[in-house]
Amino acid sequence: MGNLVNRDQQKCRRFLDALEELSLSGGTRRNTEEWRAELPEAEEEHLGSCEACRAALEEFAETRNALSGVTVHRPGPWFTTRVMAAITAQEKEEEARDGVWISVRRLAPRLVALSALLLVLGGSWALELGKTDALNAERKSGDIVFDSSVSPVSYDDGLGMTSEVRP
């Protein structure tokens, strides 16, 4: 069963290819039967058994009749070169316009990592600074005799005087 469907699809593809190969008539209008007469014999036989291909032939005839008054000009010998040059110029212009942002996108992960490192270092420095400020404030306002913190070296004045003996 699948072979029959595949075979019919191949015939339909060949029929559509044959339609595309039909030449454009120079401004004359043709009906479906005239276009059918120009088809090869194998495709004409297929047309008799395939409803989809008959509909495709009718659409083809309508389209060709609608375009019969339109003249098609062949492009000049340098058309492709001009088009490709225009495309290249447009791409270069877009690269120049977006070039800065491409660099920023490449640099963004590094900037994020550096910012995170600076936040961690700055935060730890601020905490240590706050702790030392609090200790200094406590030492200045508290009583030294009952102070439980380690006393600085400058408070050893009394010991130094007892060890100095003058004759």
Side-chain angles (χ1 to χ4, degrees), residues 56-84:
L57 179 63
E58 289 175 11
E59 288 178 15
F60 175 80
E62 286 178 27
T63 304
R64 290 290 171 100
N65 287 336
L67 295 175
S68 65
V70 177
T71 57
V72 178
H73 297 286
R74 298 276 179 203
W78 303 106
F79 177 76
T80 306
T81 307
R82 288 192 317 252
V83 168
M84 294 308 291

mmCIF file of all heavy atoms in Angstrom, residues 56-84:
data_model
loop_
_atom_site.group_PDB
_atom_site.id
_atom_site.type_symbol
_atom_site.label_atom_id
_atom_site.label_comp_id
_atom_site.label_asym_id
_atom_site.label_seq_id
_atom_site.Cartn_x
_atom_site.Cartn_y
_atom_site.Cartn_z
ATOM 1 N N ALA A 56 -4.064 21.610 -9.812
ATOM 2 C CA ALA A 56 -2.802 22.326 -9.989
ATOM 3 C C ALA A 56 -2.693 22.908 -11.396
ATOM 4 O O ALA A 56 -2.212 24.028 -11.579
ATOM 5 C CB ALA A 56 -1.633 21.388 -9.711
ATOM 6 N N LEU A 57 -3.165 22.176 -12.415
ATOM 7 C CA LEU A 57 -3.139 22.679 -13.792
ATOM 8 C C LEU A 57 -4.062 23.876 -13.946
ATOM 9 O O LEU A 57 -3.701 24.857 -14.614
ATOM 10 C CB LEU A 57 -3.522 21.576 -14.778
ATOM 11 C CG LEU A 57 -3.557 21.998 -16.252
ATOM 12 C CD1 LEU A 57 -2.166 22.420 -16.715
ATOM 13 C CD2 LEU A 57 -4.095 20.878 -17.115
ATOM 14 N N GLU A 58 -5.235 23.833 -13.308
ATOM 15 C CA GLU A 58 -6.150 24.973 -13.382
ATOM 16 C C GLU A 58 -5.545 26.212 -12.725
ATOM 17 O O GLU A 58 -5.626 27.318 -13.266
ATOM 18 C CB GLU A 58 -7.482 24.611 -12.735
ATOM 19 C CG GLU A 58 -8.299 23.625 -13.549
ATOM 20 C CD GLU A 58 -9.561 23.180 -12.833
ATOM 21 O OE1 GLU A 58 -9.912 23.787 -11.796
ATOM 22 O OE2 GLU A 58 -10.184 22.219 -13.306
ATOM 23 N N GLU A 59 -4.917 26.034 -11.550
ATOM 24 C CA GLU A 59 -4.260 27.162 -10.883
ATOM 25 C C GLU A 59 -3.107 27.691 -11.720
ATOM 26 O O GLU A 59 -2.887 28.906 -11.806
ATOM 27 C CB GLU A 59 -3.748 26.730 -9.510
ATOM 28 C CG GLU A 59 -4.845 26.507 -8.495
ATOM 29 C CD GLU A 59 -4.299 26.035 -7.155
ATOM 30 O OE1 GLU A 59 -3.070 26.161 -6.926
ATOM 31 O OE2 GLU A 59 -5.103 25.542 -6.351
ATOM 32 N N PHE A 60 -2.387 26.787 -12.352
ATOM 33 C CA PHE A 60 -1.273 27.181 -13.211
ATOM 34 C C PHE A 60 -1.775 28.035 -14.374
ATOM 35 O O PHE A 60 -1.196 29.080 -14.690
ATOM 36 C CB PHE A 60 -0.568 25.918 -13.723
ATOM 37 C CG PHE A 60 0.520 26.183 -14.719
ATOM 38 C CD1 PHE A 60 1.771 26.587 -14.301
ATOM 39 C CD2 PHE A 60 0.297 26.021 -16.089
ATOM 40 C CE1 PHE A 60 2.781 26.823 -15.217
ATOM 41 C CE2 PHE A 60 1.296 26.257 -17.004
ATOM 42 C CZ PHE A 60 2.550 26.656 -16.562
ATOM 43 N N ALA A 61 -2.860 27.594 -15.013
ATOM 44 C CA ALA A 61 -3.412 28.335 -16.145
ATOM 45 C C ALA A 61 -3.897 29.712 -15.702
ATOM 46 O O ALA A 61 -3.668 30.717 -16.393
ATOM 47 C CB ALA A 61 -4.550 27.538 -16.791
ATOM 48 N N GLU A 62 -4.559 29.797 -14.549
ATOM 49 C CA GLU A 62 -5.030 31.091 -14.040
ATOM 50 C C GLU A 62 -3.860 32.023 -13.748
ATOM 51 O O GLU A 62 -3.907 33.210 -14.083
ATOM 52 C CB GLU A 62 -5.841 30.878 -12.762
ATOM 53 C CG GLU A 62 -7.213 30.301 -12.985
ATOM 54 C CD GLU A 62 -7.950 30.068 -11.667
ATOM 55 O OE1 GLU A 62 -7.648 30.780 -10.678
ATOM 56 O OE2 GLU A 62 -8.807 29.174 -11.629
ATOM 57 N N THR A 63 -2.836 31.479 -13.137
ATOM 58 C CA THR A 63 -1.664 32.300 -12.804
ATOM 59 C C THR A 63 -0.979 32.812 -14.058
ATOM 60 O O THR A 63 -0.645 34.000 -14.167
ATOM 61 C CB THR A 63 -0.668 31.488 -11.961
ATOM 62 O OG1 THR A 63 -1.334 30.989 -10.809
ATOM 63 C CG2 THR A 63 0.508 32.327 -11.538
ATOM 64 N N ARG A 64 -0.773 31.943 -15.027
ATOM 65 C CA ARG A 64 -0.123 32.357 -16.275
ATOM 66 C C ARG A 64 -0.975 33.381 -17.017
ATOM 67 O O ARG A 64 -0.442 34.321 -17.597
ATOM 68 C CB ARG A 64 0.158 31.147 -17.172
ATOM 69 C CG ARG A 64 1.250 30.235 -16.656
ATOM 70 C CD ARG A 64 2.610 30.920 -16.773
ATOM 71 N NE ARG A 64 3.672 30.218 -16.127
ATOM 72 C CZ ARG A 64 4.543 29.446 -16.742
ATOM 73 N NH1 ARG A 64 4.461 29.233 -18.030
ATOM 74 N NH2 ARG A 64 5.501 28.870 -16.054
ATOM 75 N N ASN A 65 -2.290 33.222 -17.005
ATOM 76 C CA ASN A 65 -3.158 34.197 -17.663
ATOM 77 C C ASN A 65 -3.110 35.542 -16.940
ATOM 78 O O ASN A 65 -3.147 36.592 -17.576
ATOM 79 C CB ASN A 65 -4.594 33.679 -17.743
ATOM 80 C CG ASN A 65 -4.748 32.585 -18.776
ATOM 81 O OD1 ASN A 65 -3.966 32.492 -19.725
ATOM 82 N ND2 ASN A 65 -5.739 31.731 -18.581
ATOM 83 N N ALA A 66 -3.016 35.509 -15.621
ATOM 84 C CA ALA A 66 -2.917 36.762 -14.864
ATOM 85 C C ALA A 66 -1.598 37.477 -15.150
ATOM 86 O O ALA A 66 -1.534 38.704 -15.163
ATOM 87 C CB ALA A 66 -3.054 36.478 -13.376
ATOM 88 N N LEU A 67 -0.551 36.712 -15.399
ATOM 89 C CA LEU A 67 0.766 37.294 -15.663
ATOM 90 C C LEU A 67 1.046 37.488 -17.152
ATOM 91 O O LEU A 67 2.151 37.879 -17.513
ATOM 92 C CB LEU A 67 1.860 36.405 -15.059
ATOM 93 C CG LEU A 67 1.863 36.278 -13.540
ATOM 94 C CD1 LEU A 67 2.916 35.277 -13.107
ATOM 95 C CD2 LEU A 67 2.111 37.627 -12.902
ATOM 96 N N SER A 68 0.069 37.252 -18.001
ATOM 97 C CA SER A 68 0.320 37.323 -19.447
ATOM 98 C C SER A 68 0.675 38.727 -19.911
ATOM 99 O O SER A 68 1.430 38.896 -20.846
ATOM 100 C CB SER A 68 -0.876 36.784 -20.222
ATOM 101 O OG SER A 68 -2.004 37.620 -20.008
ATOM 102 N N GLY A 69 0.171 39.760 -19.259
ATOM 103 C CA GLY A 69 0.469 41.129 -19.668
ATOM 104 C C GLY A 69 1.764 41.668 -19.092
ATOM 105 O O GLY A 69 2.232 42.732 -19.481
ATOM 106 N N VAL A 70 2.372 40.952 -18.200
ATOM 107 C CA VAL A 70 3.593 41.403 -17.537
ATOM 108 C C VAL A 70 4.796 40.996 -18.377
ATOM 109 O O VAL A 70 4.913 39.854 -18.802
ATOM 110 C CB VAL A 70 3.699 40.786 -16.128
ATOM 111 C CG1 VAL A 70 4.993 41.190 -15.457
ATOM 112 C CG2 VAL A 70 2.508 41.171 -15.290
ATOM 113 N N THR A 71 5.673 41.946 -18.608
ATOM 114 C CA THR A 71 6.901 41.625 -19.335
ATOM 115 C C THR A 71 8.020 41.399 -18.328
ATOM 116 O O THR A 71 8.160 42.123 -17.352
ATOM 117 C CB THR A 71 7.296 42.762 -20.287
ATOM 118 O OG1 THR A 71 7.444 43.960 -19.534
ATOM 119 C CG2 THR A 71 6.261 42.954 -21.369
ATOM 120 N N VAL A 72 8.794 40.397 -18.573
ATOM 121 C CA VAL A 72 9.891 40.043 -17.686
ATOM 122 C C VAL A 72 11.188 40.483 -18.344
ATOM 123 O O VAL A 72 11.480 40.109 -19.474
ATOM 124 C CB VAL A 72 9.908 38.516 -17.426
ATOM 125 C CG1 VAL A 72 11.077 38.144 -16.540
ATOM 126 C CG2 VAL A 72 8.602 38.070 -16.826
ATOM 127 N N HIS A 73 11.932 41.302 -17.628
ATOM 128 C CA HIS A 73 13.220 41.767 -18.135
ATOM 129 C C HIS A 73 14.319 40.912 -17.548
ATOM 130 O O HIS A 73 14.321 40.606 -16.362
ATOM 131 C CB HIS A 73 13.457 43.229 -17.741
ATOM 132 C CG HIS A 73 12.448 44.161 -18.332
ATOM 133 N ND1 HIS A 73 12.447 44.513 -19.652
ATOM 134 C CD2 HIS A 73 11.394 44.798 -17.775
ATOM 135 C CE1 HIS A 73 11.445 45.340 -19.897
ATOM 136 N NE2 HIS A 73 10.779 45.527 -18.762
ATOM 137 N N ARG A 74 15.242 40.553 -18.378
ATOM 138 C CA ARG A 74 16.390 39.789 -17.917
ATOM 139 C C ARG A 74 17.343 40.740 -17.189
ATOM 140 O O ARG A 74 17.558 41.867 -17.642
ATOM 141 C CB ARG A 74 17.126 39.133 -19.084
ATOM 142 C CG ARG A 74 16.302 38.144 -19.833
ATOM 143 C CD ARG A 74 16.367 36.828 -19.131
ATOM 144 N NE ARG A 74 15.538 35.859 -19.861
ATOM 145 C CZ ARG A 74 15.041 34.803 -19.318
ATOM 146 N NH1 ARG A 74 15.259 34.570 -18.053
ATOM 147 N NH2 ARG A 74 14.315 33.968 -20.011
ATOM 148 N N PRO A 75 17.918 40.304 -16.084
ATOM 149 C CA PRO A 75 18.871 41.177 -15.391
ATOM 150 C C PRO A 75 20.140 41.338 -16.214
ATOM 151 O O PRO A 75 20.486 40.482 -17.025
ATOM 152 C CB PRO A 75 19.152 40.430 -14.085
ATOM 153 C CG PRO A 75 18.768 39.026 -14.348
ATOM 154 C CD PRO A 75 17.706 39.053 -15.408
ATOM 155 N N GLY A 76 20.818 42.435 -15.978
ATOM 156 C CA GLY A 76 22.054 42.719 -16.693
ATOM 157 C C GLY A 76 23.166 41.769 -16.288
ATOM 158 O O GLY A 76 23.042 40.992 -15.340
ATOM 159 N N PRO A 77 24.295 41.840 -16.993
ATOM 160 C CA PRO A 77 25.387 40.905 -16.712
ATOM 161 C C PRO A 77 26.037 41.120 -15.347
ATOM 162 O O PRO A 77 26.611 40.204 -14.793
ATOM 163 C CB PRO A 77 26.393 41.175 -17.833
ATOM 164 C CG PRO A 77 26.084 42.545 -18.306
ATOM 165 C CD PRO A 77 24.616 42.748 -18.085
ATOM 166 N N TRP A 78 25.914 42.316 -14.761
ATOM 167 C CA TRP A 78 26.556 42.606 -13.479
ATOM 168 C C TRP A 78 25.553 42.655 -12.335
ATOM 169 O O TRP A 78 25.867 43.116 -11.248
ATOM 170 C CB TRP A 78 27.326 43.920 -13.552
ATOM 171 C CG TRP A 78 28.332 43.904 -14.636
ATOM 172 C CD1 TRP A 78 28.270 44.554 -15.826
ATOM 173 C CD2 TRP A 78 29.542 43.161 -14.667
ATOM 174 N NE1 TRP A 78 29.355 44.277 -16.589
ATOM 175 C CE2 TRP A 78 30.167 43.412 -15.889
ATOM 176 C CE3 TRP A 78 30.164 42.297 -13.778
ATOM 177 C CZ2 TRP A 78 31.381 42.850 -16.237
ATOM 178 C CZ3 TRP A 78 31.366 41.731 -14.131
ATOM 179 C CH2 TRP A 78 31.966 42.009 -15.350
ATOM 180 N N PHE A 79 24.366 42.150 -12.559
ATOM 181 C CA PHE A 79 23.319 42.199 -11.536
ATOM 182 C C PHE A 79 23.736 41.446 -10.268
ATOM 183 O O PHE A 79 23.649 41.977 -9.160
ATOM 184 C CB PHE A 79 22.014 41.611 -12.091
ATOM 185 C CG PHE A 79 20.911 41.559 -11.088
ATOM 186 C CD1 PHE A 79 20.232 42.701 -10.735
ATOM 187 C CD2 PHE A 79 20.560 40.359 -10.490
ATOM 188 C CE1 PHE A 79 19.218 42.665 -9.802
ATOM 189 C CE2 PHE A 79 19.542 40.306 -9.558
ATOM 190 C CZ PHE A 79 18.864 41.463 -9.211
ATOM 191 N N THR A 80 24.229 40.251 -10.412
ATOM 192 C CA THR A 80 24.618 39.435 -9.258
ATOM 193 C C THR A 80 25.750 40.110 -8.491
ATOM 194 O O THR A 80 25.739 40.142 -7.260
ATOM 195 C CB THR A 80 25.059 38.037 -9.717
ATOM 196 O OG1 THR A 80 24.023 37.467 -10.507
ATOM 197 C CG2 THR A 80 25.359 37.136 -8.552
ATOM 198 N N THR A 81 26.706 40.669 -9.206
ATOM 199 C CA THR A 81 27.834 41.334 -8.561
ATOM 200 C C THR A 81 27.365 42.532 -7.749
ATOM 201 O O THR A 81 27.807 42.733 -6.612
ATOM 202 C CB THR A 81 28.855 41.777 -9.617
ATOM 203 O OG1 THR A 81 29.198 40.654 -10.431
ATOM 204 C CG2 THR A 81 30.096 42.346 -8.980
ATOM 205 N N ARG A 82 26.448 43.331 -8.325
ATOM 206 C CA ARG A 82 25.939 44.502 -7.611
ATOM 207 C C ARG A 82 25.145 44.094 -6.376
ATOM 208 O O ARG A 82 25.265 44.707 -5.312
ATOM 209 C CB ARG A 82 25.070 45.347 -8.536
ATOM 210 C CG ARG A 82 25.846 46.094 -9.596
ATOM 211 C CD ARG A 82 24.981 47.128 -10.290
ATOM 212 N NE ARG A 82 23.655 46.649 -10.609
ATOM 213 C CZ ARG A 82 23.202 46.353 -11.829
ATOM 214 N NH1 ARG A 82 24.010 46.497 -12.854
ATOM 215 N NH2 ARG A 82 21.981 45.938 -12.015
ATOM 216 N N VAL A 83 24.336 43.056 -6.500
ATOM 217 C CA VAL A 83 23.534 42.604 -5.361
ATOM 218 C C VAL A 83 24.441 42.084 -4.250
ATOM 219 O O VAL A 83 24.257 42.415 -3.076
ATOM 220 C CB VAL A 83 22.515 41.532 -5.796
ATOM 221 C CG1 VAL A 83 21.874 40.854 -4.601
ATOM 222 C CG2 VAL A 83 21.448 42.141 -6.679
ATOM 223 N N MET A 84 25.419 41.279 -4.605
ATOM 224 C CA MET A 84 26.320 40.736 -3.587
ATOM 225 C C MET A 84 27.146 41.841 -2.932
ATOM 226 O O MET A 84 27.417 41.799 -1.731
ATOM 227 C CB MET A 84 27.233 39.668 -4.190
ATOM 228 C CG MET A 84 26.490 38.420 -4.659
ATOM 229 S SD MET A 84 25.404 37.708 -3.411
ATOM 230 C CE MET A 84 26.598 37.105 -2.245
#
